[in-house]
C-alpha cells in the first residue's frame, strides 16, 4: 500500500491525536475517575499560536490527552483526567497548512465531525522545550468539569 505524500508525520500525528481524543470521549476513563473538558488560548510573545496541538499528560504517568489548536489560538481538550498535568505544545503539524490539501474532502471523524479547517492555520515556531514532557515548564491542576486555562509561552 502506497502512502499519500499529503499525510506527512505531522498530519499523521494530528490525525492520531484526534482519534485518541474521540476514543477517550466515547469510552471515558475505565477507573471511574472524574474528567474535564479544558479549553483556552495558547499564545507566544503576546500573539496567538495559530496551529498545532496541546497535550495534557498526567504527572504520575498515563496517556496524554490532546487538543487541536485553532487558527485563533484557541483549543479544547475533552476527557482530561483530574490531577496534576504536564502540558506540552507542538506546532510542527501546522507546517502542512500550506500544502494545499482540501480538508473538506477529509473523512468524517468517529463522532461525524470534520477536521479543523487546516488551510487557515499558520505555523508559529515555539521554543522546543514545550514539545517534550521532560522539558516543558507548563503544569496544570485539573479539577473536573468544564475548565478554562490559557497558556502564555515564553522563550
Amino acid at each position: 500500500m502506497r502512502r499519500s505524500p499529503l499525510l506527512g508525520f505531522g498530519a499523521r500525528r494530528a490525525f492520531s491525536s484526534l482519534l485518541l481524543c474521540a476514543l477517550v470521549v466515547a469510552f471515558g476513563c475505565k477507573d471511574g475517575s472524574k474528567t474535564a473538558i479544558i479549553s483556552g488560548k495558547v499564545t507566544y510573545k503576546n500573539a496567538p499560536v495559530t496551529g498545532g496541538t496541546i497535550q495534557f499528560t498526567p504527572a504520575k504517568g498515563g496517556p496524554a490527552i490532546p487538543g487541536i489548536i485553532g487558527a485563533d489560538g484557541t483549543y479544547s481538550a475533552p476527557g482530561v483526567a483530574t490531577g496534576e498535568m504536564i502540558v506540552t505544545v507542538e506546532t510542527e503539524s501546522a507546517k502542512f497548512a500550506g500544502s494545499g490539501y482540501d480538508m473538506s474532502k477529509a473523512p468524517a471523524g468517529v463522532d461525524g465531525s470534520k477536521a479543523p479547517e487546516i488551510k487557515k492555520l499558520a505555523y508559529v515556531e515555539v521554543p522546543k522545550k514545550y514539545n517534550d514532557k521532560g522539558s516543558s515548564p507548563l503544569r496544570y491542576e485539573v479539577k473536573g468539569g468544564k475548565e478554562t486555562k490559557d497558556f502564555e509561552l515564553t522563550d
Side-chain angles (χ1 to χ4, degrees):
M1 183 169 147
R2 191 172 158 217
R3 287 190 183 199
S4 169
L6 297 176
L7 290 178
F9 174 74
R12 285 193 306 268
R13 181 177 177 183
F15 177 77
S16 297
S17 295
L18 283 173
L19 181 61
L20 175 63
C21 188
L23 290 173
V24 168
V25 170
F27 297 107
C29 293
K30 291 191 179 211
D31 66 359
S33 63
K34 289 176 39 177
T35 61
I37 298 172
I38 305 171
S39 59
K41 190 169 191 172
V42 181
T43 56
Y44 176 56
K45 296 183 178 180
N46 296 317
V49 171
T50 56
T53 60
I54 185 169
Q55 291 195 12
F56 294 85
T57 304
K60 293 182 178 180
I65 301 299
I68 302 298
I69 302 171
D72 59 355
T74 60
Y75 73 91
S76 179
V80 180
T82 57
E84 183 183 359
M85 296 290 146
I86 300 169
V87 182
T88 56
V89 175
E90 72 77 29
T91 60
E92 294 294 312
S93 59
K95 282 185 176 182
F96 297 97
S99 69
Y101 183 68
D102 183 359
M103 288 305 290
S104 67
K105 295 178 183 172
V110 174
D111 62 354
S113 64
K114 287 289 190 174
E117 188 59 48
I118 289 183
K119 289 182 201 174
K120 296 178 184 173
L121 301 179
Y123 173 67
V124 173
E125 185 174 1
V126 298
K128 298 271 186 233
K129 66 183 176 183
Y130 292 107
N131 194 20
D132 182 75
K133 70 179 182 177
S135 60
S136 177
L138 303 176
R139 301 289 185 275
Y140 181 63
E141 184 72 29
V142 179
K143 302 201 180 4
K146 290 187 177 183
E147 301 184 29
T148 302
K149 176 62 178 165
D150 295 339
F151 292 96
E152 169 62 34
L153 310 183
T154 60
D155 285 331

